[in-house]
Amino acid sequence: ADTDKFDPLVLKAMQTFNKTNQFKNIILQTLVSDVDDEEMKKLVNEFNKMDTDGSNKIGISELQKVLGGLHSSEVASIMDKMDVDGNQEIDLEEFGVMYLNRKISSQQQRLWAVFNKLDKNNNGKLCKTEILAAMEGKMSKKEVEKIIKSADKDGNLELDFSEFLVVWEADQLDKVMMNSNGHEEKEGAKTKKKKCSIM
């Protein structure tokens, strides 16, 4: 395939994309609809160039044409990482997750903007209520509590920006959540839980 017509940065992002943890994936999905018109136009344009049969999905054969220089096993691995719902096709939302992951994770100021978007009461920390709201019902209260505990160094049951970055970059977060199995804080009895309201 003539890969000259594809954005080289997008091709690079596809080849270096690592499967996101559940928390990161859900946040990225919600942000896809928030990109500005110019960025969305570019995103859709790149997607449509790869979607050669006009099915609104990129299949393995189409991906192979796009990444023609790679071995079929490498292409299959990329498909597996980008294919969130496991149907062996990449839809626009899944493509958008890869696209935004490249743009956001490479620039800390963009991550700061994401953090502030989630921080509804503007106190510089993300509480359980704010994270639950961001998950839009795709994570349970118990799962969100496990996420917070996995990175909450000061034990206040909230995530400041540095703790948020730990969660964002945690490739093994899903395994941590599974293994924690509802584990309580060591000093849970002493921890004061603060109410957090979203204004």
Side-chain angles (χ1 to χ4, degrees), residues 159-176:
L159 299 179
D160 60 24
F161 183 57
S162 64
E163 292 166 338
F164 171 76
L165 290 178
V166 170
V167 175
W168 185 267
E169 297 299 341
D171 293 333
Q172 302 301 314
L173 177 64
D174 296 333
K175 291 182 180 178
V176 169

Side-chain angles (χ1 to χ4, degrees), residues 142 173 179 196:
K142 190 172 184 179
L173 177 64
N179 292 336
C196 173

Side-chain angles (χ1 to χ4, degrees), residues 149-163:
K149 291 173 186 177
S150 73
D152 180 25
K153 294 180 180 179
D154 53 19
N156 66 352
L157 298 182
E158 295 178 319
L159 299 179
D160 60 24
F161 183 57
S162 64
E163 292 166 338

